[in-house]
Amino acid sequence: MRRFLDIVQQVFEAIWANKLRSFLTMFGIAWGVASLLLLVGLGEGFRSGNQRGLAEFGTDVIMIFGGNIPSLPGQHSGLHPYKLTLGDLDAVRTQAPHVRNATAIINRGDLKQVSEYSSAGGPVMGILPNFADIRKLPIVQGRGLRQEDIAQHRLVVILGQKSNQLLFPGRPSIGNFITLNGYRLEVIGVADKIGRGNNNNDNQKVYIPLTTMMELFPIKGDNIPKDAISSIQYQPSTADQNELAKIEVHRIIGHRHGFNPLDPEAIEEWDTIKSSRSIGMIFTAMDVFLGGVGIVTLALGAVGIINIMLVTVSERTKEIGLRKALGATNRSIMTQFFLEGMVLTGTSGAIGIVAAAALMMGLTAIAGPGVQGFDPPRLVPWSAAMAVGALSIAGVIAGLYPARKAALLEPVEALRKD
């Protein structure tokens, strides 16, 4: 035990004797480790932030809107827009086996919201009760829509969190009334905050029964059916069946409106499942790239340590020869130089990990939780494990090769060196 402690003491004395050289090498490795962890942490923050943003729309949501179709079947000119209808929704529900749930929405942005205290101008959504099963609409006060609200065309409204603050500042809203373009509606619910940051578009929405919307504020225009809606939003049976569900829905809508379902101009849609996968692939590729850059950086650091240790062996040739002449074994010589390499890599790696974690904490404190589409960076376990593993390998290589070279020196030849 005493001999091992002596070796450890000699290791630190040797490192301290070459302070600048050791510092520069350790700085290179610490910088590589910290950069790897920080970049991967930032990438994961963007990944989780974007995925969370998509999840705030709802779970496995596909949104379909009307598009432009030929005035006559088979033509490719003279396009005209068309609107989806409640009949389309019923057909999707009954004829698309890979659709597990579907709802209809009318979205109006031109309706004035007025309470006895203030006014607001956010979007007004006509929805069905199952809207909350597909899209995110958490109710924090009161209740959500019920089937009887739809059946009886009730004049009721649910306020978004921001709309509630604007229309009823510091006052209770449940049971009170607002007017939409002069029509008086009772507030039956208030939604919880959706999303982060200052993007309050969803929080300034108000929600009324779809039948009430179609009765009071229908979509108007030339050749627009009475049951026209803004969009159909649905969920596939499983996330992996999103493409099958889209093919079925396209076929149904195309048949009902007389156009080729393969026509890319005929349907506008947004598949949040596909978007989420694309985002995941982008950030996975970025993680692989950053991981590769980090490994190369660590490898270069290991080469630097090997060079330092080889120079050290060359400079300390006489010392090594003298120690071996006095009885030092090859094992003790190898142990000393091996430990020097491991100490350099291990210490610099630990400094890099601590620095990356501290910087991430600082960024989190500065940015806070309120950045839209971005979560605070965090230390990703797999990147930290990879860094530690790469450091261990680098330390072993950087320590063993010079240590072996030092141990193989013959005492007489070593003492003859100038």
Side-chain angles (χ1 to χ4, degrees):
M1 184 65 183
R2 177 64 183 175
R3 181 178 297 178
F4 178 75
L5 293 177
D6 290 339
I7 292 174
V8 171
Q9 181 180 355
Q10 291 167 1
V11 165
F12 285 100
E13 288 175 352
I15 293 175
W16 186 254
N18 298 281
K19 294 185 287 294
L20 180 60
R21 187 188 300 166
S22 299
F23 168 77
L24 292 175
T25 302
M26 292 174 66
F27 178 81
I29 290 186
W31 179 268
V33 172
S35 299
L36 168 65
L37 298 182
L38 182 60
L39 291 174
V40 172
L42 288 169
E44 287 299 305
F46 279 112
R47 181 207 296 267
S48 61
N50 278 274
Q51 290 178 339
R52 175 182 49 77
L54 288 174
E56 286 169 356
F57 285 101
T59 304
D60 301 340
V61 182
I62 302 175
M63 307 178 188
I64 183 171
F65 310 88
N68 294 295
I69 59 176
S71 299
L72 295 175
Q75 289 185 342
H76 297 284
S77 59
L79 300 179
H80 73 276
Y82 73 96
K83 289 290 184 181
L84 298 173
T85 66
L86 280 181
D88 296 332
L89 173 66
D90 293 336
V92 168
R93 286 174 169 174
T94 57
Q95 300 174 28
H98 289 95
V99 172
R100 74 174 187 264
N101 202 356
T103 194
I105 294 172
I106 293 180
N107 185 358
R108 294 285 299 268
D110 56 347
L111 304 180
K112 187 69 173 179
Q113 309 161 24
V114 179
S115 71
E116 60 180 305
Y117 308 106
S118 184
S119 63
V124 178
M125 310 283 289
I127 63 173
L128 296 170
N130 69 336
F131 176 87
D133 298 330
I134 299 175
R135 296 287 300 274
K136 188 173 183 180
L137 184 60
I139 303 298
V140 69
Q141 296 179 43
R143 65 173 179 86
L145 286 183
R146 297 171 180 165
Q147 195 59 43
E148 53 266 31
D149 297 323
I150 301 294
Q152 299 174 22
H153 298 215
R154 289 179 177 173
L155 299 177
V156 293
V157 62
I158 296 172
L159 302 179
Q161 186 247 13
K162 186 65 175 181
S163 292
N164 184 58
Q165 292 177 356
L166 293 174
L167 293 170
F168 296 94
R171 296 173 174 85
S173 56
I174 302 299
N176 282 320
F177 294 85
I178 69 169
T179 60
L180 294 178
N181 281 20
Y183 292 94
R184 194 164 181 260
L185 292 87
E186 181 185 359
V187 178
I188 61 169
V190 176
D192 201 357
K193 181 176 175 60
I194 300 174
R196 296 183 182 180
N198 298 321
N199 185 355
N200 280 313
N201 182 60
D202 284 330
N203 295 309
Q204 284 190 247
K205 292 177 178 177
V206 301
Y207 306 86
I208 68 175
L210 182 64
T211 50
T212 304
M213 175 73 90
M214 298 180 75
E215 180 180 336
L216 301 181
F217 316 111
I219 299 175
K220 295 182 179 180
D222 295 335
N223 300 317
I224 292 181
K226 292 182 179 180
D227 63 344
I229 55 178
S230 300
S231 72
I232 294 174
Q233 304 189 5
Y234 62 94
Q235 297 167 308
S237 299
T238 65
D240 294 334
Q241 295 178 327
N242 63 317
E243 295 298 333
L244 283 174
K246 285 193 291 186
I247 290 173
E248 293 170 356
V249 171
H250 291 185
R251 176 182 52 78
I252 292 168
I253 302 299
H255 175 74
R256 289 180 55 83
H257 291 270
F259 63 82
N260 182 355
L262 300 179
D263 184 354
E265 298 291 331
I267 292 177
E268 294 183 13
E269 68 181 351
W270 181 27
D271 183 352
T272 64
I273 302 169
K274 186 176 180 180
S275 296
S276 180
R277 289 173 183 163
S278 298
I279 291 172
M281 291 175 63
I282 291 171
F283 285 108
T284 296
M286 188 172 73
D287 287 346
V288 171
F289 172 75
L290 294 176
V293 171
I295 290 176
V296 170
T297 303
L298 294 178
L300 292 175
V303 171
I305 289 181
I306 291 174
N307 287 332
I308 281 184
M309 298 305 295
L310 289 175
V311 170
T312 301
V313 169
S314 177
E315 291 177 346
R316 295 164 60 188
T317 300
K318 281 191 174 183
E319 175 195 336
I320 295 169
L322 181 60
R323 288 182 59 196
K324 295 188 74 173
L326 294 175
T329 63
N330 287 350
R331 181 177 180 181
S332 65
I333 299 294
M334 284 191 68
T335 300
Q336 178 179 344
F337 282 89
F338 175 73
L339 286 177
E340 284 186 30
M342 290 296 291
V343 167
L344 287 173
T345 54
T347 304
S348 55
I351 292 172
I353 293 174
V354 172
L359 188 55
M360 291 180 194
M361 291 176 62
L363 289 173
T364 300
I366 294 172
V371 180
Q372 187 72 16
F374 175 71
D375 283 341
R378 63 184 184 278
L379 199 61
V380 180
W382 70 261
S383 63
M386 183 179 72
V388 171
L391 281 171
S392 300
I393 295 173
V396 169
I397 295 174
L400 279 182
Y401 179 66
R404 183 175 181 274
K405 186 172 182 179
L408 290 178
L409 289 173
E410 292 293 335
V412 175
E413 294 297 325
L415 290 170
R416 289 177 179 175
K417 293 284 184 181
D418 294 331

